[in-house]
Amino acid sequence: MFKHSQLESVKAWLADPAHAGLPLHARIQRAIRQLILDGALGVGRPLPASRALAQSLGVSRDTVETAYGQLHAEGFIERRIGSGSFVSQRTQPMASRGKARRGKAHSVSQAVLGQRGTALFQQGGVRDFLAPRPFAPGVPDTRGFPLATWERLQRQVLKAHGSEALLHSHPQGMSQLRQAIADYVNLERGAHATPARVLVLTSSQQAMTLCAHVLLDAGERIFIEDPVYHGARRAFEAAGLECVPVPVDDQGLRVDLLQASPQPARAVFLTPSHQYPTGATLSLERRLALVEWANREQAWIIEDDYDSEFHYAGRPTACVQGLDAHERTLYVGTFSKSLFPGLRLGYMVLPPQLVAPMTVARTLLDGHSAPIPQLTLARFMEGGHFGAHVRAMRAVYAERRDTLARLVRRHLGDFVEAKVPAGGMQMPCRLICDIAEQDAIAAARRAGIDLQGLSEMHADGQGQAGFFMGFAAYTAEEMEQATRTLEQALRRLR
């Protein structure tokens, strides 16, 4: 028979809400199996008769018999006619390990990772993307997306392609989408693109990871903007690259300092259209100088054009890739900001010599992107819906930017000074009071508001204290309420 503690352990399994989805016999079977794995039921130990255990647990005898039958099928117990059920001899190694575990205090050991795994863990992080709170930066307004149009186009895709749309896509991406992307960046961004040079990906973050692993070796240097988008720096550092910061001013990256650097580098990463986080636009002179530097040094330019669609003061400057006659530039784009993050589609426009190696490397990472969203997006772009949506949201975001600027001046003027951006989806705010950046961010988080610190984007982590306030996804009413809440949280700190 079971000891009292063992019987109570089985009863606890039955009552645990975490196991409520399992049928009764499965809960009993797993409870007894765990007792065996832990060594609490030793080899050869008899189990209670099914009728007696059923009575003790308040279940039917058939339920216990089903549990015993499963334990027997898995080799945990032996059933002897006329004698009963016993813990199997085959569980001897399990019993030894169970006794060893019970002989020492329970503790959760730390995972032993490789160097790259450790770097990935230290540089990364997990954010709750399911329900973004004000003022989470980089989040588009999905409530204004034309879902009915998207649904209609997706039905057309399924009707036209049938079960073929359920198969793998080419790892470089569906040809229809690559054509649509090439047409778009050529027209709107002044790029030199062909469908053969487009590689469809899940995101710009995947693009940076590919660049880090394919273009450079661990230990090699890459120039990055200072301050810089933290996701890029983390991707490069996780790949073992040495990031060499180059200061940014109101004309973008200081290319003269890059050229004069005593530390040569194999590549440079930059956000020239709308520098993240300062909002500066790289001047034409610096763009041309950067192209010549890359050609002379046989280095690569990784151009992240992350939200160039949302430029509120005239047309955005043409991309660097379109100026590069030497084909040393990799152009990175994403639809997560312009459409919706759940789409999980981005792309690179590559120099011809990099298309094959990047496609093979991408295949090793995750194979391919889902065909149905690709084909639907292609129709969305071909039909003019993408351009119409971007134009509509550009107007909405510009109005929300101005609304947030007014709210910051009205409610947060004692604490921060806002720099109204010419484009993008977030507004940098510089702290002008004696509140520490991390204290402000922590207080906001406790109040249900997400802010991103500015100082952490600098190479030494000692840049101007402040935070980003995203405005694209939130209505004027939502921003006003959140701004008042943030004001109260900051006043409590003072």
Side-chain angles (χ1 to χ4, degrees):
M1 290 293 294
F2 282 165
K3 295 179 181 178
H4 176 73
S5 60
Q6 295 164 348
L7 182 60
E8 290 302 312
S9 178
V10 176
K11 289 181 178 179
W13 261 81
L14 294 178
D16 191 339
H19 308 139
L22 296 173
L24 273 175
H25 69 83
R27 281 182 263 175
I28 295 170
Q29 177 253 334
R30 295 188 188 190
I32 297 174
R33 183 180 66 184
Q34 195 60 51
L35 289 172
I36 295 172
L37 291 171
D38 290 343
L41 287 176
V43 173
R45 178 74 180 271
L47 272 63
S50 58
R51 188 186 303 276
L53 182 58
Q55 186 174 2
S56 299
L57 298 177
V59 300
S60 71
R61 184 183 180 187
D62 286 345
T63 298
V64 175
E65 279 292 336
T66 302
Y68 279 4
Q70 184 63 30
L71 288 166
H72 175 65
E74 293 178 357
F76 284 93
I77 67 173
E78 299 171 356
R79 310 200 74 178
R80 305 170 190 165
I81 297 175
S83 299
S85 301
F86 302 83
V87 178
S88 172
Q89 293 287 336
R90 285 182 282 180
T91 65
Q92 179 67 52
M94 305 175 196
S96 301
R97 289 195 296 269
K99 290 177 181 177
R101 281 197 301 269
R102 286 183 293 131
K104 55 186 177 183
H106 176 73
S107 64
V108 179
S109 61
Q110 202 169 25
V112 179
L113 305 176
Q115 291 182 357
R116 181 162 291 172
T118 300
L120 284 168
F121 179 65
Q122 291 174 346
Q123 297 299 329
V126 178
R127 289 175 54 198
D128 180 9
F129 292 99
L130 296 180
R133 307 182 300 178
F135 290 96
V139 181
D141 185 351
T142 56
R143 290 173 289 191
F145 184 77
L147 274 174
T149 300
W150 187 268
E151 182 182 15
R152 173 172 56 82
L153 295 175
Q154 184 166 285
R155 287 199 304 268
Q156 292 177 8
V157 165
L158 292 172
K159 184 176 181 179
H161 295 272
S163 60
E164 290 183 3
L166 308 180
L167 301 173
H168 293 76
S169 77
H170 190 280
Q172 192 177 339
M174 302 297 286
S175 60
Q176 297 93 324
L177 179 57
R178 290 190 282 115
Q179 180 69 64
I181 290 171
D183 291 343
Y184 168 72
V185 296
N186 289 340
L187 177 64
E188 297 292 337
R189 303 298 300 119
H192 291 309
T194 64
R197 296 175 62 175
V198 174
L199 174 61
V200 178
L201 301 168
T202 58
S203 63
S204 57
Q205 193 68 30
Q206 186 183 48
M208 286 175 251
T209 299
L210 274 172
C211 290
H213 287 83
V214 175
L215 302 180
L216 299 97
D217 292 322
E220 290 192 302
R221 296 185 179 93
I222 180 171
F223 288 126
I224 61 171
E225 299 166 318
D226 187 22
V228 71
Y229 170 55
H230 57 92
R233 184 176 65 222
R234 289 171 179 173
F236 300 145
E237 290 179 345
L241 307 185
E242 179 184 346
C243 293
V244 180
V246 179
V248 170
D249 62 16
D250 59 357
Q251 295 187 60
L253 184 80
R254 288 285 305 275
V255 178
D256 59 322
L257 298 180
L258 177 149
Q259 294 169 323
S261 173
Q263 301 175 300
R266 292 277 311 283
V268 58
F269 169 81
L270 73 164
T271 51
S273 295
H274 180 229
Q275 201 277 329
Y276 194 98
T278 67
T281 298
L282 189 67
S283 67
L284 177 60
E285 293 80 6
R286 294 187 184 183
R287 290 170 186 247
L288 295 174
L290 189 66
V291 167
E292 291 309 311
W293 167 83
N295 181 51
R296 183 176 62 253
E297 301 294 331
Q298 288 298 283
W300 299 107
I301 300 171
I302 304 169
E303 178 182 12
D304 183 5
D305 208 27
Y306 66 100
D307 65 359
S308 63
E309 293 90 355
F310 304 119
H311 193 81
Y312 311 124
R315 289 184 62 82
T317 307
C319 64
V320 173
Q321 193 266 358
L323 302 173
D324 183 6
H326 311 296
E327 297 184 333
R328 305 297 303 177
T329 302
L330 296 84
Y331 178 90
V332 179
T334 177
F335 295 101
S336 293
K337 304 289 191 296
S338 55
L339 294 180
F340 55 95
L343 182 58
R344 302 311 296 147
L345 285 175
Y347 58 91
M348 282 197 289
V349 179
L350 297 165
Q353 67 270 33
L354 289 182
V355 172
M358 282 289 188
T359 302
V360 170
R362 185 271 160 88
T363 305
L364 294 175
L365 281 182
D366 68 348
H368 67 105
S369 294
I372 296 175
Q374 290 188 70
L375 293 168
T376 305
L377 176 56
R379 290 184 178 233
F380 194 77
M381 297 178 77
E382 292 163 358
H385 307 293
F386 178 73
H389 178 68
V390 167
R391 288 191 295 272
M393 300 317 295
R394 187 185 297 135
V396 170
Y397 294 170
E399 183 177 344
R400 290 179 179 178
R401 175 203 59 175
D402 296 342
T403 298
L404 180 60
R406 290 194 298 269
L407 290 170
V408 169
R409 287 194 295 268
R410 184 187 309 160
H411 299 290
L412 304 177
D414 293 341
F415 308 99
V416 299
E417 180 180 67
K419 180 180 179 181
V420 181
M425 304 165 69
Q426 49 274 322
M427 183 178 297
C429 296
R430 180 174 65 91
L431 279 164
I432 57 174
C433 61
D434 57 356
I435 297 176
E437 178 182 289
Q438 288 304 315
D439 291 341
I441 292 172
R445 185 172 294 115
R446 290 192 296 270
I449 293 171
D450 283 342
L451 303 174
Q452 183 179 356
L454 294 179
S455 64
E456 68 183 45
M457 299 182 194
H458 290 260
D460 57 5
Q462 301 299 315
Q464 175 64 57
F467 45 76
F468 259 144
M469 298 181 73
F471 54 79
Y474 316 107
T475 65
E477 294 76 16
E478 290 168 339
M479 286 193 288
E480 178 161 9
Q481 180 178 353
T483 306
R484 291 179 182 274
T485 300
L486 180 58
E487 178 188 13
Q488 295 171 1
L490 295 179
R491 292 203 183 282
R492 283 195 291 270
L493 282 182
R494 300 190 73 175

mmCIF file of all heavy atoms in Angstrom, residues 409-445:
data_model
loop_
_atom_site.group_PDB
_atom_site.id
_atom_site.type_symbol
_atom_site.label_atom_id
_atom_site.label_comp_id
_atom_site.label_asym_id
_atom_site.label_seq_id
_atom_site.Cartn_x
_atom_site.Cartn_y
_atom_site.Cartn_z
ATOM 1 N N ARG A 409 4.369 69.618 -23.571
ATOM 2 C CA ARG A 409 4.603 70.994 -23.095
ATOM 3 C C ARG A 409 3.643 71.362 -21.960
ATOM 4 O O ARG A 409 4.035 72.006 -20.987
ATOM 5 C CB ARG A 409 4.449 71.975 -24.251
ATOM 6 C CG ARG A 409 5.594 71.951 -25.253
ATOM 7 C CD ARG A 409 5.542 73.162 -26.175
ATOM 8 N NE ARG A 409 4.350 73.139 -27.025
ATOM 9 C CZ ARG A 409 4.303 72.599 -28.237
ATOM 10 N NH1 ARG A 409 5.387 72.007 -28.739
ATOM 11 N NH2 ARG A 409 3.187 72.623 -28.950
ATOM 12 N N ARG A 410 2.397 70.917 -22.079
ATOM 13 C CA ARG A 410 1.384 71.305 -21.093
ATOM 14 C C ARG A 410 1.551 70.564 -19.769
ATOM 15 O O ARG A 410 1.458 71.176 -18.695
ATOM 16 C CB ARG A 410 -0.013 71.038 -21.661
ATOM 17 C CG ARG A 410 -1.162 71.501 -20.751
ATOM 18 C CD ARG A 410 -2.490 71.044 -21.312
ATOM 19 N NE ARG A 410 -2.635 71.398 -22.729
ATOM 20 C CZ ARG A 410 -3.481 70.809 -23.557
ATOM 21 N NH1 ARG A 410 -4.245 69.799 -23.120
ATOM 22 N NH2 ARG A 410 -3.555 71.178 -24.817
ATOM 23 N N HIS A 411 1.795 69.250 -19.833
ATOM 24 C CA HIS A 411 1.783 68.450 -18.605
ATOM 25 C C HIS A 411 3.167 68.047 -18.106
ATOM 26 O O HIS A 411 3.337 67.765 -16.913
ATOM 27 C CB HIS A 411 0.948 67.181 -18.832
ATOM 28 C CG HIS A 411 -0.480 67.451 -19.166
ATOM 29 N ND1 HIS A 411 -1.375 67.954 -18.247
ATOM 30 C CD2 HIS A 411 -1.181 67.301 -20.324
ATOM 31 C CE1 HIS A 411 -2.562 68.091 -18.808
ATOM 32 N NE2 HIS A 411 -2.471 67.704 -20.082
ATOM 33 N N LEU A 412 4.143 67.991 -18.999
ATOM 34 C CA LEU A 412 5.451 67.482 -18.601
ATOM 35 C C LEU A 412 6.556 68.521 -18.759
ATOM 36 O O LEU A 412 7.737 68.188 -18.679
ATOM 37 C CB LEU A 412 5.806 66.232 -19.437
ATOM 38 C CG LEU A 412 4.799 65.077 -19.405
ATOM 39 C CD1 LEU A 412 5.257 63.958 -20.339
ATOM 40 C CD2 LEU A 412 4.628 64.550 -17.992
ATOM 41 N N GLY A 413 6.167 69.770 -18.972
ATOM 42 C CA GLY A 413 7.159 70.808 -19.214
ATOM 43 C C GLY A 413 8.125 71.028 -18.067
ATOM 44 O O GLY A 413 9.243 71.517 -18.280
ATOM 45 N N ASP A 414 7.736 70.689 -16.842
ATOM 46 C CA ASP A 414 8.637 70.811 -15.692
ATOM 47 C C ASP A 414 9.687 69.702 -15.661
ATOM 48 O O ASP A 414 10.651 69.801 -14.894
ATOM 49 C CB ASP A 414 7.843 70.764 -14.380
ATOM 50 C CG ASP A 414 6.952 71.977 -14.199
ATOM 51 O OD1 ASP A 414 7.205 72.990 -14.881
ATOM 52 O OD2 ASP A 414 6.010 71.904 -13.389
ATOM 53 N N PHE A 415 9.488 68.663 -16.466
ATOM 54 C CA PHE A 415 10.340 67.481 -16.366
ATOM 55 C C PHE A 415 11.185 67.226 -17.610
ATOM 56 O O PHE A 415 12.337 66.808 -17.513
ATOM 57 C CB PHE A 415 9.486 66.231 -16.094
ATOM 58 C CG PHE A 415 8.564 66.376 -14.928
ATOM 59 C CD1 PHE A 415 7.228 66.694 -15.108
ATOM 60 C CD2 PHE A 415 9.044 66.211 -13.636
ATOM 61 C CE1 PHE A 415 6.376 66.833 -14.028
ATOM 62 C CE2 PHE A 415 8.199 66.344 -12.546
ATOM 63 C CZ PHE A 415 6.856 66.667 -12.741
ATOM 64 N N VAL A 416 10.602 67.455 -18.783
ATOM 65 C CA VAL A 416 11.301 67.096 -20.019
ATOM 66 C C VAL A 416 11.161 68.189 -21.063
ATOM 67 O O VAL A 416 10.257 69.036 -20.996
ATOM 68 C CB VAL A 416 10.770 65.764 -20.615
ATOM 69 C CG1 VAL A 416 10.972 64.604 -19.657
ATOM 70 C CG2 VAL A 416 9.307 65.895 -21.024
ATOM 71 N N GLU A 417 12.057 68.130 -22.025
ATOM 72 C CA GLU A 417 11.987 68.982 -23.206
ATOM 73 C C GLU A 417 11.897 68.068 -24.423
ATOM 74 O O GLU A 417 12.787 67.245 -24.657
ATOM 75 C CB GLU A 417 13.227 69.861 -23.291
ATOM 76 C CG GLU A 417 13.241 70.791 -24.485
ATOM 77 C CD GLU A 417 14.498 71.639 -24.520
ATOM 78 O OE1 GLU A 417 15.596 71.065 -24.731
ATOM 79 O OE2 GLU A 417 14.385 72.854 -24.319
ATOM 80 N N ALA A 418 10.821 68.203 -25.192
ATOM 81 C CA ALA A 418 10.591 67.326 -26.342
ATOM 82 C C ALA A 418 11.301 67.864 -27.563
ATOM 83 O O ALA A 418 11.357 69.071 -27.799
ATOM 84 C CB ALA A 418 9.104 67.199 -26.619
ATOM 85 N N LYS A 419 11.865 66.946 -28.359
ATOM 86 C CA LYS A 419 12.418 67.287 -29.663
ATOM 87 C C LYS A 419 11.457 66.727 -30.701
ATOM 88 O O LYS A 419 11.397 65.519 -30.926
ATOM 89 C CB LYS A 419 13.810 66.681 -29.841
ATOM 90 C CG LYS A 419 14.427 67.024 -31.194
ATOM 91 C CD LYS A 419 15.804 66.416 -31.361
ATOM 92 C CE LYS A 419 16.378 66.765 -32.729
ATOM 93 N NZ LYS A 419 17.726 66.152 -32.939
ATOM 94 N N VAL A 420 10.694 67.612 -31.316
ATOM 95 C CA VAL A 420 9.662 67.168 -32.256
ATOM 96 C C VAL A 420 10.340 66.637 -33.513
ATOM 97 O O VAL A 420 11.046 67.371 -34.201
ATOM 98 C CB VAL A 420 8.712 68.318 -32.598
ATOM 99 C CG1 VAL A 420 7.624 67.830 -33.556
ATOM 100 C CG2 VAL A 420 8.081 68.888 -31.328
ATOM 101 N N PRO A 421 10.140 65.360 -33.834
ATOM 102 C CA PRO A 421 10.847 64.761 -34.969
ATOM 103 C C PRO A 421 10.208 65.133 -36.300
ATOM 104 O O PRO A 421 9.010 65.394 -36.381
ATOM 105 C CB PRO A 421 10.716 63.255 -34.707
ATOM 106 C CG PRO A 421 9.416 63.130 -33.975
ATOM 107 C CD PRO A 421 9.299 64.377 -33.127
ATOM 108 N N ALA A 422 11.036 65.137 -37.344
ATOM 109 C CA ALA A 422 10.520 65.388 -38.694
ATOM 110 C C ALA A 422 9.891 64.144 -39.289
ATOM 111 O O ALA A 422 9.238 64.210 -40.336
ATOM 112 C CB ALA A 422 11.641 65.877 -39.595
ATOM 113 N N GLY A 423 10.080 63.021 -38.654
ATOM 114 C CA GLY A 423 9.515 61.770 -39.146
ATOM 115 C C GLY A 423 9.538 60.727 -38.051
ATOM 116 O O GLY A 423 9.941 60.991 -36.921
ATOM 117 N N GLY A 424 9.089 59.529 -38.389
ATOM 118 C CA GLY A 424 9.139 58.437 -37.431
ATOM 119 C C GLY A 424 7.873 58.287 -36.620
ATOM 120 O O GLY A 424 6.843 58.924 -36.893
ATOM 121 N N MET A 425 7.957 57.465 -35.577
ATOM 122 C CA MET A 425 6.784 57.101 -34.790
ATOM 123 C C MET A 425 6.992 57.324 -33.303
ATOM 124 O O MET A 425 6.194 56.866 -32.489
ATOM 125 C CB MET A 425 6.461 55.613 -35.050
ATOM 126 C CG MET A 425 6.262 55.305 -36.528
ATOM 127 S SD MET A 425 6.315 53.537 -36.900
ATOM 128 C CE MET A 425 4.815 52.993 -36.135
ATOM 129 N N GLN A 426 8.078 57.999 -32.932
ATOM 130 C CA GLN A 426 8.347 58.249 -31.531
ATOM 131 C C GLN A 426 9.052 59.588 -31.364
ATOM 132 O O GLN A 426 9.699 60.078 -32.282
ATOM 133 C CB GLN A 426 9.191 57.140 -30.902
ATOM 134 C CG GLN A 426 10.429 56.758 -31.671
ATOM 135 C CD GLN A 426 10.160 55.721 -32.742
ATOM 136 O OE1 GLN A 426 9.363 54.815 -32.549
ATOM 137 N NE2 GLN A 426 10.817 55.854 -33.870
ATOM 138 N N MET A 427 8.903 60.175 -30.179
ATOM 139 C CA MET A 427 9.436 61.498 -29.909
ATOM 140 C C MET A 427 10.451 61.421 -28.773
ATOM 141 O O MET A 427 10.118 60.977 -27.665
ATOM 142 C CB MET A 427 8.297 62.441 -29.517
ATOM 143 C CG MET A 427 8.713 63.876 -29.267
ATOM 144 S SD MET A 427 7.266 64.895 -28.856
ATOM 145 C CE MET A 427 6.318 64.785 -30.378
ATOM 146 N N PRO A 428 11.703 61.841 -29.011
ATOM 147 C CA PRO A 428 12.682 61.854 -27.927
ATOM 148 C C PRO A 428 12.418 63.030 -26.992
ATOM 149 O O PRO A 428 12.145 64.147 -27.433
ATOM 150 C CB PRO A 428 14.020 62.003 -28.654
ATOM 151 C CG PRO A 428 13.691 62.597 -29.981
ATOM 152 C CD PRO A 428 12.297 62.200 -30.315
ATOM 153 N N CYS A 429 12.487 62.757 -25.686
ATOM 154 C CA CYS A 429 12.258 63.783 -24.673
ATOM 155 C C CYS A 429 13.448 63.802 -23.719
ATOM 156 O O CYS A 429 13.763 62.781 -23.093
ATOM 157 C CB CYS A 429 10.968 63.507 -23.901
ATOM 158 S SG CYS A 429 9.470 63.587 -24.928
ATOM 159 N N ARG A 430 14.090 64.950 -23.593
ATOM 160 C CA ARG A 430 15.279 65.100 -22.760
ATOM 161 C C ARG A 430 14.865 65.517 -21.355
ATOM 162 O O ARG A 430 14.111 66.482 -21.177
ATOM 163 C CB ARG A 430 16.204 66.138 -23.379
ATOM 164 C CG ARG A 430 17.488 66.396 -22.621
ATOM 165 C CD ARG A 430 18.370 67.342 -23.417
ATOM 166 N NE ARG A 430 17.756 68.653 -23.551
ATOM 167 C CZ ARG A 430 17.938 69.675 -22.702
ATOM 168 N NH1 ARG A 430 18.720 69.501 -21.636
ATOM 169 N NH2 ARG A 430 17.356 70.838 -22.906
ATOM 170 N N LEU A 431 15.356 64.815 -20.350
ATOM 171 C CA LEU A 431 15.046 65.162 -18.969
ATOM 172 C C LEU A 431 15.755 66.464 -18.593
ATOM 173 O O LEU A 431 16.960 66.611 -18.805
ATOM 174 C CB LEU A 431 15.483 64.040 -18.028
ATOM 175 C CG LEU A 431 14.518 62.843 -17.915
ATOM 176 C CD1 LEU A 431 15.200 61.647 -17.289
ATOM 177 C CD2 LEU A 431 13.275 63.235 -17.118
ATOM 178 N N ILE A 432 15.017 67.411 -18.026
ATOM 179 C CA ILE A 432 15.593 68.697 -17.622
ATOM 180 C C ILE A 432 15.437 68.922 -16.122
ATOM 181 O O ILE A 432 15.627 70.044 -15.631
ATOM 182 C CB ILE A 432 14.926 69.852 -18.398
ATOM 183 C CG1 ILE A 432 13.412 69.843 -18.172
ATOM 184 C CG2 ILE A 432 15.253 69.758 -19.883
ATOM 185 C CD1 ILE A 432 12.698 71.053 -18.784
ATOM 186 N N CYS A 433 15.100 67.871 -15.392
ATOM 187 C CA CYS A 433 14.946 67.963 -13.943
ATOM 188 C C CYS A 433 15.952 67.033 -13.279
ATOM 189 O O CYS A 433 16.785 66.425 -13.939
ATOM 190 C CB CYS A 433 13.519 67.611 -13.530
ATOM 191 S SG CYS A 433 13.054 65.922 -13.985
ATOM 192 N N ASP A 434 15.872 66.913 -11.970
ATOM 193 C CA ASP A 434 16.849 66.109 -11.238
ATOM 194 C C ASP A 434 16.406 64.660 -11.046
ATOM 195 O O ASP A 434 16.911 63.967 -10.168
ATOM 196 C CB ASP A 434 17.133 66.748 -9.873
ATOM 197 C CG ASP A 434 15.858 66.918 -9.047
ATOM 198 O OD1 ASP A 434 14.771 66.604 -9.566
ATOM 199 O OD2 ASP A 434 15.964 67.373 -7.895
ATOM 200 N N ILE A 435 15.484 64.186 -11.846
ATOM 201 C CA ILE A 435 15.036 62.788 -11.775
ATOM 202 C C ILE A 435 15.931 61.937 -12.667
ATOM 203 O O ILE A 435 16.193 62.289 -13.820
ATOM 204 C CB ILE A 435 13.569 62.653 -12.221
ATOM 205 C CG1 ILE A 435 12.646 63.425 -11.274
ATOM 206 C CG2 ILE A 435 13.149 61.185 -12.272
ATOM 207 C CD1 ILE A 435 11.189 63.426 -11.696
ATOM 208 N N ALA A 436 16.408 60.814 -12.141
ATOM 209 C CA ALA A 436 17.245 59.909 -12.927
ATOM 210 C C ALA A 436 16.398 59.204 -13.987
ATOM 211 O O ALA A 436 15.216 58.916 -13.767
ATOM 212 C CB ALA A 436 17.908 58.882 -12.017
ATOM 213 N N GLU A 437 17.029 58.932 -15.114
ATOM 214 C CA GLU A 437 16.313 58.307 -16.230
ATOM 215 C C GLU A 437 15.679 56.985 -15.827
ATOM 216 O O GLU A 437 14.493 56.748 -16.098
ATOM 217 C CB GLU A 437 17.286 58.085 -17.394
ATOM 218 C CG GLU A 437 16.662 57.403 -18.600
ATOM 219 C CD GLU A 437 17.685 57.177 -19.699
ATOM 220 O OE1 GLU A 437 18.104 58.146 -20.332
ATOM 221 O OE2 GLU A 437 18.072 55.997 -19.909
ATOM 222 N N GLN A 438 16.434 56.122 -15.188
ATOM 223 C CA GLN A 438 15.894 54.819 -14.815
ATOM 224 C C GLN A 438 14.764 54.930 -13.808
ATOM 225 O O GLN A 438 13.809 54.139 -13.835
ATOM 226 C CB GLN A 438 17.014 53.922 -14.270
ATOM 227 C CG GLN A 438 17.979 53.426 -15.333
ATOM 228 C CD GLN A 438 17.255 52.693 -16.458
ATOM 229 O OE1 GLN A 438 16.382 51.858 -16.216
ATOM 230 N NE2 GLN A 438 17.613 53.016 -17.695
ATOM 231 N N ASP A 439 14.843 55.911 -12.911
ATOM 232 C CA ASP A 439 13.758 56.110 -11.948
ATOM 233 C C ASP A 439 12.487 56.547 -12.662
ATOM 234 O O ASP A 439 11.381 56.101 -12.324
ATOM 235 C CB ASP A 439 14.165 57.159 -10.913
ATOM 236 C CG ASP A 439 15.268 56.679 -9.990
ATOM 237 O OD1 ASP A 439 15.473 55.444 -9.906
ATOM 238 O OD2 ASP A 439 15.935 57.523 -9.359
ATOM 239 N N ALA A 440 12.649 57.428 -13.654
ATOM 240 C CA ALA A 440 11.480 57.888 -14.405
ATOM 241 C C ALA A 440 10.838 56.741 -15.179
ATOM 242 O O ALA A 440 9.605 56.601 -15.190
ATOM 243 C CB ALA A 440 11.890 59.006 -15.365
ATOM 244 N N ILE A 441 11.666 55.926 -15.805
ATOM 245 C CA ILE A 441 11.143 54.804 -16.597
ATOM 246 C C ILE A 441 10.457 53.782 -15.695
ATOM 247 O O ILE A 441 9.390 53.252 -16.016
ATOM 248 C CB ILE A 441 12.284 54.164 -17.411
ATOM 249 C CG1 ILE A 441 12.762 55.136 -18.493
ATOM 250 C CG2 ILE A 441 11.836 52.845 -18.047
ATOM 251 C CD1 ILE A 441 13.996 54.693 -19.224
ATOM 252 N N ALA A 442 11.061 53.504 -14.534
ATOM 253 C CA ALA A 442 10.466 52.542 -13.601
ATOM 254 C C ALA A 442 9.143 53.060 -13.050
ATOM 255 O O ALA A 442 8.166 52.307 -12.925
ATOM 256 C CB ALA A 442 11.445 52.258 -12.465
ATOM 257 N N ALA A 443 9.078 54.345 -12.724
ATOM 258 C CA ALA A 443 7.834 54.921 -12.213
ATOM 259 C C ALA A 443 6.746 54.871 -13.270
ATOM 260 O O ALA A 443 5.577 54.584 -12.971
ATOM 261 C CB ALA A 443 8.079 56.357 -11.765
ATOM 262 N N ALA A 444 7.121 55.151 -14.521
ATOM 263 C CA ALA A 444 6.150 55.079 -15.613
ATOM 264 C C ALA A 444 5.632 53.661 -15.785
ATOM 265 O O ALA A 444 4.430 53.443 -15.980
ATOM 266 C CB ALA A 444 6.791 55.573 -16.910
ATOM 267 N N ARG A 445 6.530 52.691 -15.705
ATOM 268 C CA ARG A 445 6.120 51.294 -15.883
ATOM 269 C C ARG A 445 5.136 50.882 -14.797
ATOM 270 O O ARG A 445 4.156 50.178 -15.057
ATOM 271 C CB ARG A 445 7.348 50.389 -15.891
ATOM 272 C CG ARG A 445 7.019 48.921 -16.203
ATOM 273 C CD ARG A 445 8.272 48.105 -16.387
ATOM 274 N NE ARG A 445 9.019 48.521 -17.571
ATOM 275 C CZ ARG A 445 10.233 49.061 -17.542
ATOM 276 N NH1 ARG A 445 10.866 49.242 -16.397
ATOM 277 N NH2 ARG A 445 10.834 49.420 -18.661
#
